[in-house]
Amino acid sequence: MAHDDTDDRRARFESLALPFMQRLYNTALRLTSDPHEAEDVVQDTYLRAFRTFDNFRPGTNAKAWLFTVLYSVVINRRQKTRREVGPLPVEELEERYRLVAETPAGDVGDVDAWGSSWPKEIEAALRALPEAFRAVVLLVDVQELSYEEAAGVLTCPVGTVQSRLHRGRRLLFAALEEYARQAGHLRSVDP
């Protein structure tokens, strides 16, 4: 009988969680900028989610729950890395930033949750956002979580989500203004 319960639990988990795998991977990739680390993050997310599946309340938003687990995994990995490595010298940080900034969008994963390609300028602008703003923009604007759901994922107040989203959008707008103008999506305004 216990075997049947385990099979039923696994089947319920898979039907609920597996449809979000690509979205989780895309978000993990945009948070980590490393395809291998993103794969590890998603694997850890599913492992942790399965272990704690009994805590999931049926009828609530499974996507928001999975993104909460994913964001927790990302944060825990960063904290563990910082403890193991310690602070990086400024020169190394600058070199890492240069490498990320020069990485072609295709190498960072330029396919969004719906399978459409994003221009490299958009990927670069997202990568350049400070993580707090990037995470909110990805959760609310890309993954379409509500403010309340994003606040739950990030464990912060709704007002903080709204503020970070507003600032993140403004930073993205500023970073993409010239690109949008050249692509014909924005007209020049003469003073």
Side-chain angles (χ1 to χ4, degrees):
M1 184 86 143
H3 183 64
D4 290 338
D5 290 342
T6 302
D7 289 344
D8 180 53
R9 181 178 185 265
R10 190 180 85 226
R12 284 184 295 118
F13 175 78
E14 288 176 357
S15 70
L16 182 84
L18 291 182
F20 298 107
M21 186 175 287
Q22 188 62 50
R23 285 180 174 218
L24 290 167
Y25 174 77
N26 291 343
T27 300
L29 186 58
R30 289 187 173 105
L31 289 172
T32 65
S33 298
D34 180 335
H36 300 294
E37 186 176 353
E39 290 171 0
D40 290 345
V41 164
V42 171
Q43 183 176 5
D44 288 351
T45 298
Y46 275 96
L47 182 61
R48 187 180 296 177
F50 184 72
R51 286 181 180 158
T52 62
F53 187 53
D54 293 332
N55 297 335
F56 176 74
R57 291 186 321 255
T60 60
N61 188 334
K63 181 169 67 168
W65 174 67
L66 287 167
F67 276 102
T68 300
V69 176
L70 177 121
Y71 194 72
S72 174
V73 168
V74 169
I75 295 302
N76 289 341
R77 285 170 149 269
R78 285 188 183 150
Q79 289 173 347
K80 181 180 177 190
T81 301
R82 284 185 195 127
R83 281 192 305 269
E84 291 173 354
V85 176
L88 295 173
V90 173
E91 297 80 23
E92 188 172 339
L93 285 172
E94 289 173 349
E95 178 63 17
R96 285 184 179 194
Y97 176 79
R98 185 189 64 74
L99 289 172
V100 168
E102 292 175 359
T103 301
D107 292 346
V108 180
D110 61 348
V111 176
D112 69 14
W114 300 275
S116 63
S117 297
W118 288 2
K120 65 182 179 190
E121 292 84 358
I122 294 174
E123 285 290 340
L126 271 171
R127 279 195 311 273
L129 283 178
E131 186 208 331
F133 302 132
R134 183 174 60 235
V136 171
V137 168
L138 288 170
L139 291 172
V140 175
D141 289 340
V142 177
Q143 298 304 332
E144 300 176 332
L145 295 184
S146 69
Y147 293 149
E148 292 78 13
E149 292 165 341
V153 168
L154 301 171
T155 62
C156 66
V158 172
T160 301
V161 167
Q162 292 170 327
S163 173
R164 288 178 184 172
L165 183 62
H166 176 74
R167 291 181 65 196
R169 286 173 176 166
R170 288 182 66 155
L171 289 169
L172 274 177
F173 178 81
L176 294 170
E177 187 174 13
E178 184 58 32
Y179 166 71
R181 189 170 281 111
Q182 289 175 359
H185 299 295
L186 197 62
R187 292 190 321 235
S188 295
V189 178
D190 295 325

